[in-house]
Coordinates of all heavy atoms in Angstrom, one line a residue:
I1 N -6.7 -45.7 19.5 CA -5.6 -44.8 19.1 C -6.0 -43.4 19.5 O -7.1 -42.9 19.0 CB -5.3 -45.0 17.6 CG1 -4.9 -46.4 17.3 CG2 -4.3 -44.0 17.2 CD1 -4.7 -46.7 15.8
T2 N -5.2 -42.7 20.3 CA -5.6 -41.4 20.7 C -4.3 -40.5 20.7 O -3.2 -41.0 20.9 CB -6.2 -41.4 22.2 OG1 -6.4 -40.1 22.6 CG2 -5.2 -42.1 23.2
M3 N -4.5 -39.2 20.5 CA -3.4 -38.3 20.4 C -2.7 -38.0 21.7 O -1.6 -37.7 21.8 CB -3.9 -37.0 19.7 CG -4.3 -37.1 18.3 SD -5.1 -35.6 17.7 CE -3.8 -34.4 17.8
D4 N -3.5 -38.1 22.8 CA -3.0 -37.8 24.1 C -3.7 -38.7 25.2 O -4.8 -38.5 25.5 CB -3.3 -36.3 24.4 CG -2.5 -35.8 25.7 OD1 -2.1 -36.7 26.4 OD2 -2.4 -34.6 25.8
M5 N -2.9 -39.6 25.7 CA -3.4 -40.5 26.7 C -3.8 -39.8 28.0 O -4.5 -40.4 28.9 CB -2.4 -41.6 27.0 CG -2.2 -42.6 25.8 SD -0.9 -43.7 26.1 CE -1.5 -44.6 27.5
N6 N -3.3 -38.6 28.2 CA -3.6 -37.8 29.4 C -4.9 -37.0 29.3 O -5.2 -36.3 30.2 CB -2.4 -36.9 29.8 CG -1.2 -37.7 30.1 OD1 -1.2 -38.7 30.8 ND2 -0.1 -37.2 29.6
K7 N -5.5 -37.1 28.1 CA -6.8 -36.3 27.9 C -7.9 -37.2 27.4 O -8.7 -36.8 26.6 CB -6.5 -35.1 27.0 CG -5.6 -34.1 27.6 CD -5.4 -32.9 26.7 CE -4.6 -31.8 27.4 NZ -4.3 -30.7 26.5
I8 N -7.9 -38.5 27.9 CA -8.9 -39.4 27.6 C -10.3 -38.9 28.0 O -10.4 -38.4 29.2 CB -8.7 -40.8 28.3 CG1 -7.4 -41.4 27.7 CG2 -9.9 -41.7 28.2 CD1 -7.6 -42.0 26.3
A9 N -11.3 -38.9 27.2 CA -12.6 -38.4 27.5 C -12.6 -37.0 28.1 O -13.3 -36.7 29.0 CB -13.3 -39.4 28.5
Q10 N -11.8 -36.2 27.5 CA -11.7 -34.8 27.8 C -13.1 -34.1 27.7 O -13.7 -34.3 26.7 CB -10.7 -34.0 27.0 CG -10.7 -32.5 27.1 CD -10.1 -32.0 28.4 OE1 -10.7 -32.2 29.4 NE2 -8.9 -31.4 28.3
M11 N -13.5 -33.3 28.7 CA -14.7 -32.5 28.6 C -14.4 -31.2 28.0 O -14.1 -30.2 28.8 CB -15.4 -32.5 29.9 CG -15.7 -33.9 30.5 SD -16.3 -33.9 32.2 CE -18.0 -34.3 32.0
S12 N -14.3 -31.0 26.7 CA -13.8 -29.8 26.1 C -14.7 -28.6 26.4 O -14.2 -27.5 26.4 CB -13.8 -30.1 24.5 OG -13.2 -31.2 24.2
C13 N -15.9 -28.8 26.6 CA -16.8 -27.7 27.0 C -17.2 -27.8 28.4 O -16.3 -27.9 29.3 CB -18.0 -27.7 26.0 SG -18.8 -26.1 25.8
N14 N -18.5 -27.8 28.8 CA -18.9 -27.8 30.2 C -18.5 -29.2 30.8 O -18.9 -30.2 30.2 CB -20.4 -27.6 30.2 CG -20.9 -27.3 31.6 OD1 -20.1 -27.4 32.6 ND2 -22.1 -27.1 31.8
P15 N -17.9 -29.2 32.0 CA -17.7 -30.5 32.6 C -19.0 -31.1 33.3 O -19.0 -31.2 34.5 CB -16.6 -30.2 33.6 CG -16.8 -28.8 34.0 CD -17.3 -28.1 32.7
A16 N -20.0 -31.3 32.5 CA -21.3 -31.8 33.0 C -21.8 -32.9 32.1 O -21.5 -32.9 30.9 CB -22.3 -30.6 33.1
V17 N -22.5 -33.8 32.7 CA -23.1 -34.9 31.9 C -24.6 -34.9 32.2 O -25.0 -34.8 33.3 CB -22.4 -36.3 32.4 CG1 -23.2 -37.4 31.8 CG2 -21.0 -36.3 32.0
G18 N -25.3 -35.2 31.1 CA -26.8 -35.3 31.3 C -27.5 -34.0 30.9 O -26.9 -33.2 30.2
G19 N -28.7 -33.9 31.3 CA -29.6 -32.8 30.9 C -30.8 -33.3 30.3 O -31.0 -34.6 30.2
I20 N -31.6 -32.5 29.7 CA -32.9 -32.9 29.1 C -32.6 -33.8 28.0 O -31.9 -33.5 27.0 CB -33.7 -31.6 28.6 CG1 -33.9 -30.6 29.7 CG2 -35.0 -32.1 28.0 CD1 -34.6 -31.1 30.9
A21 N -33.2 -35.0 28.1 CA -33.0 -36.1 27.1 C -31.6 -36.7 27.1 O -31.4 -37.9 26.9 CB -33.5 -35.7 25.7
K22 N -30.6 -35.9 27.3 CA -29.2 -36.4 27.4 C -29.0 -37.3 28.5 O -28.3 -38.3 28.5 CB -28.3 -35.2 27.5 CG -28.2 -34.3 26.2 CD -27.5 -33.0 26.5 CE -27.2 -32.2 25.3 NZ -26.0 -32.7 24.5
G23 N -29.7 -37.0 29.7 CA -29.6 -37.8 30.8 C -30.2 -39.2 30.6 O -29.6 -40.2 31.1
Q24 N -31.2 -39.3 29.8 CA -31.8 -40.6 29.5 C -30.8 -41.4 28.6 O -30.7 -42.6 28.8 CB -33.1 -40.4 28.6 CG -34.3 -40.0 29.5 CD -34.5 -38.5 29.7 OE1 -33.5 -37.8 29.8 NE2 -35.7 -38.0 29.8
I25 N -30.1 -40.7 27.7 CA -29.1 -41.5 26.9 C -28.0 -42.1 27.8 O -27.6 -43.2 27.6 CB -28.5 -40.5 25.9 CG1 -29.5 -40.1 24.8 CG2 -27.3 -41.2 25.2 CD1 -29.0 -39.1 23.8
V26 N -27.6 -41.3 28.8 CA -26.5 -41.9 29.7 C -27.0 -43.1 30.5 O -26.3 -44.1 30.6 CB -26.0 -40.8 30.6 CG1 -24.9 -41.3 31.6 CG2 -25.5 -39.6 29.8
R27 N -28.3 -43.0 30.9 CA -28.8 -44.2 31.7 C -29.0 -45.4 30.7 O -28.8 -46.5 31.1 CB -30.2 -43.8 32.3 CG -30.1 -42.7 33.3 CD -31.1 -43.0 34.5 NE -30.4 -43.8 35.5 CZ -31.1 -44.2 36.6 NH1 -32.4 -43.9 36.8 NH2 -30.5 -44.9 37.5
E28 N -29.3 -45.1 29.4 CA -29.3 -46.2 28.5 C -28.0 -46.8 28.2 O -27.8 -48.0 28.1 CB -30.0 -45.7 27.2 CG -31.5 -45.4 27.3 CD -32.0 -44.7 26.1 OE1 -31.3 -44.3 25.2 OE2 -33.3 -44.4 26.1
I29 N -27.0 -45.9 28.1 CA -25.6 -46.4 27.9 C -25.2 -47.3 29.1 O -24.7 -48.4 28.9 CB -24.6 -45.3 27.8 CG1 -24.8 -44.5 26.6 CG2 -23.1 -45.8 27.9 CD1 -24.0 -43.2 26.5
D30 N -25.6 -46.9 30.3 CA -25.3 -47.7 31.5 C -26.0 -49.0 31.5 O -25.5 -50.0 31.8 CB -25.7 -46.9 32.7 CG -25.4 -47.6 34.0 OD1 -24.2 -47.7 34.4 OD2 -26.4 -48.0 34.7
A31 N -27.3 -49.0 31.1 CA -28.1 -50.2 31.1 C -27.6 -51.2 30.1 O -27.7 -52.4 30.3 CB -29.6 -49.9 30.8
L32 N -27.0 -50.7 29.0 CA -26.4 -51.6 28.0 C -25.1 -52.2 28.4 O -24.5 -53.1 27.8 CB -26.2 -50.9 26.7 CG -27.4 -50.8 25.7 CD1 -27.1 -49.9 24.6 CD2 -27.8 -52.2 25.2
G33 N -24.5 -51.7 29.5 CA -23.2 -52.1 30.0 C -22.1 -51.1 29.7 O -20.9 -51.5 29.9
G34 N -22.4 -49.9 29.3 CA -21.4 -48.9 29.0 C -20.9 -48.3 30.3 O -21.3 -48.6 31.4
Q35 N -20.0 -47.3 30.2 CA -19.3 -46.8 31.3 C -19.6 -45.4 31.7 O -19.2 -44.9 32.9 CB -17.8 -46.9 31.0 CG -17.3 -48.3 30.6 CD -17.6 -49.3 31.7 OE1 -17.4 -49.1 32.9 NE2 -18.0 -50.5 31.3
M36 N -20.2 -44.6 30.9 CA -20.3 -43.1 31.2 C -21.0 -42.9 32.5 O -20.6 -42.0 33.2 CB -21.0 -42.4 30.0 CG -21.1 -40.9 30.2 SD -21.9 -40.1 28.8 CE -20.6 -40.0 27.6
G37 N -22.1 -43.6 32.7 CA -22.9 -43.4 34.0 C -22.0 -43.6 35.2 O -22.1 -42.9 36.2

């Protein structure tokens, strides 16, 4: 359930993914079968 289907996964701040330790989390999400990576 979302307020706006045209803003799914909106990057409200910087349109960037990853960074120090954050990048490791994204690779873990991917290894588990997630989609962010």
Side-chain angles (χ1 to χ4, degrees):
I1 299 177
T2 179
M3 293 169 62
D4 191 342
M5 291 172 62
N6 298 317
K7 292 183 179 176
I8 293 286
Q10 168 74 293
M11 300 169 111
S12 309
C13 204
N14 193 357
V17 170
I20 305 302
K22 292 168 171 279
Q24 281 87 329
I25 291 176
V26 179
R27 296 217 88 185
E28 290 171 356
I29 293 170
D30 181 71
L32 275 174
Q35 305 299 319
M36 184 180 280

